[in-house]
């Protein structure tokens, strides 16, 4: 899933006139405010322009050279070469909405806990600025999901997700009765707390918490992971990236709810059908490191690897 263009630049021609970077930050965190200040100062010092949402700028100590925009639409990234996002997973997913709609690569700096979407940590801010200024980063494309909700055969809602589309119960005292379908054929039905349909990127998010497998980002596949299913056969399923996954909410069951990346939601009445397929538009991520996903997995989850000797040479 790596962009065929490879590196974004060779490092020659350091600060170019007319180059602009968009900055998105979780301004509710003091660490994000300080980090944003450092990034903005570094970029401006090297001659790059910086653009920020006006409502976020209120909480940030920004110099007058920073460009402020008022509308939260994809068009606010017009002319920007990169979107830098400072925050936790929620902020990074908010940034992914801008990145997908605009096609501008997103570079995430993790100020939260795990942050699999992030490429850098808070201590790497100087390196982030240097790599952006010298265009020393690569761009990688990540699969997304296109989601359709039908009731009585009619399409009533369209959405998308980078991590997952999750069908969940609403009533805590009753299970959600569903039937799962893959490529137009029924697989199984049961009562459960919900179903997570995820991308490889989302395999380390909600799907992971529900007991799903970790899927390396370069593997093109779709995941379907039951949540607390009351059934003997309720295993996570990994399908082809061209498959169409469907979850049908059965009649007579309490209504459910669809969450896309934990950010956008719609109610699912009994009889509703959710269809999930590979998204037509990917999200582009800027990468600073060539570290393997294995090393990232070990670092993010602090996995015990002491005693490892490696393959014999």
């Amino acid at each position: 899933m790596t962009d065929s263009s490879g590196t974004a630049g060779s490092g020659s021609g350091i600060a170019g006139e007319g180059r602009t970077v968009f900055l998105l930050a979780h301004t509710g965190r003091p660490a994000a405010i300080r980090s944003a200040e450092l990034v903005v100062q570094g970029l401006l010092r090297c001659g790059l322009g910086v653009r920020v949402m006006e409502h976020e700028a209120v909480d940030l100590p920004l110099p007058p050279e920073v460009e402020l925009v008022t509308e939260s639409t994809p068009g606010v990234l017009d002319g920007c070469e990169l979107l830098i996002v400072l925050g936790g997973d929620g902020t990074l997913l908010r940034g992914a909405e801008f990145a997908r709609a605009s096609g501008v690569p997103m570079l995430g700096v993790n100020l939260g806990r795990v942050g699999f979407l992030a490429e850098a940590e808070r201590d790497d801010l100087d390196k982030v600025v240097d790599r952006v200024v010298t265009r020393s980063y690569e761009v990688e494309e990540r699969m997304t999901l296109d989601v359709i909700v039908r009731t009585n055969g009619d399409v009533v809602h369209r959405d998308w997700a980078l991590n997952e589309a999750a069908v969940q119960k609403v009533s805590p005292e009753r299970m959600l009765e569903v039937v799962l379908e893959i490529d137009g054929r029924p697989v199984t039905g049961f009562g459960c707390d919900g179903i997570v349909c995820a991308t490889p990127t989302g395999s380390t998010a909600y799907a992971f918490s529900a007991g799903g497998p970790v899927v390396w980002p370069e593997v093109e596949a779709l995941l379907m992971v039951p949540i607390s299913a009351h059934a003997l056969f309720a295993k996570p399923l990994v399908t082809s990236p061209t498959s169409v996954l469907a979850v049908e909410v059965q009649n007579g069951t309490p209504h459910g709810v669809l969450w896309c990346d934990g950010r956008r939601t719609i109610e699912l009445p009994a009889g509703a059908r959710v269809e999930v397929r590979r998204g037509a538009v990917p999200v582009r991520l800027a990468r600073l490191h060539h570290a393997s996903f294995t090393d990232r997995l070990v670092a993010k989850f602090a996995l015990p690897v002491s005693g490892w000797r490696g393959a014999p040479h």
Side-chain angles (χ1 to χ4, degrees):
M1 298 183 201
T2 300
D3 190 340
S4 59
S5 61
T7 57
S10 61
S12 61
I14 293 185
E17 184 178 351
R19 295 178 60 196
T20 303
V21 172
F22 197 99
L23 182 69
L24 191 68
H26 186 335
T27 56
R29 296 184 178 188
I33 294 174
R34 178 56 181 160
S35 298
E37 183 180 13
L38 293 174
V39 170
V40 169
Q41 290 174 349
L43 294 173
L44 292 177
R45 189 164 53 243
C46 292
L48 274 71
V50 178
R51 190 179 298 170
V52 176
M53 295 297 301
E54 188 174 60
H55 68 270
E56 292 185 356
V58 174
D59 300 317
L60 299 174
L62 300 175
E65 304 97 294
V66 173
E67 179 186 357
L68 304 182
V69 291
T70 57
E71 293 186 11
S72 183
T73 64
V76 300
L77 270 74
D78 288 349
C80 295
E81 67 178 61
L82 195 66
L83 167 64
I84 298 179
V85 181
L86 308 174
D89 289 338
T91 309
L92 292 168
L93 287 171
R94 181 162 67 99
E97 294 177 356
F98 285 93
R100 173 183 177 271
S102 66
V104 174
M106 179 178 75
L107 174 59
V109 179
N110 180 39
L111 303 181
R113 290 180 296 174
V114 181
F116 264 94
L117 286 174
E119 182 62 11
E121 301 295 325
R122 186 181 312 162
D123 296 336
D124 299 328
L125 291 178
D126 288 341
K127 181 187 294 184
V128 168
V129 171
D130 179 68
R131 294 292 190 88
V132 171
V133 170
T134 60
R135 292 193 175 102
S136 300
Y137 57 85
E138 296 184 351
V139 177
E140 177 181 285
E141 292 189 345
R142 291 292 183 91
M143 279 179 60
T144 59
L145 302 175
D146 283 341
V147 185
I148 294 176
V149 179
R150 299 180 188 271
T151 58
N152 299 319
D154 298 325
V155 175
V156 296
H157 183 71
R158 294 181 184 271
D159 218 313
W160 75 281
L162 173 59
N163 276 349
E164 74 279 315
V167 175
Q168 297 177 271
K169 71 177 185 178
V170 175
S171 302
E173 72 278 5
R174 293 187 60 186
M175 291 186 294
L176 189 69
E177 297 290 338
V178 298
V179 172
L180 309 186
E181 173 193 300
I182 296 176
D183 294 330
R185 304 303 304 162
V187 176
T188 187
F190 43 60
C192 60
D193 284 355
I195 302 290
V196 179
C197 299
T199 64
T201 299
S203 71
T204 50
Y206 195 0
F208 176 84
S209 299
V214 174
V215 181
W216 266 234
E218 60 268 25
V219 176
E220 297 192 341
L222 299 177
L223 286 72
M224 182 177 270
V225 183
I227 306 172
S228 302
H230 192 70
L232 292 176
F233 183 85
K235 299 297 183 182
L237 304 176
V238 181
T239 74
S240 161
T242 61
S243 290
V244 178
L245 315 182
V247 181
E248 293 187 350
V249 180
Q250 294 300 281
N251 290 318
T253 190
H255 71 277
V257 63
L258 169 69
W259 282 94
C260 291
D261 282 342
R263 292 185 51 78
R264 301 174 302 279
T265 183
I266 182 174
E267 185 175 310
L268 300 174
R273 173 184 173 88
V274 178
E275 297 174 355
V276 178
R277 50 177 52 81
R278 180 179 187 157
V281 181
V283 168
R284 306 176 74 216
L285 300 181
R287 290 301 189 198
L288 307 180
H289 310 288
H290 290 286
S292 70
F293 180 74
T294 305
D295 292 338
R296 184 184 296 266
L297 188 72
V298 170
K300 293 293 185 180
F301 287 132
L303 301 178
V305 293
S306 59
W308 176 73
R309 296 182 179 86
H313 298 288

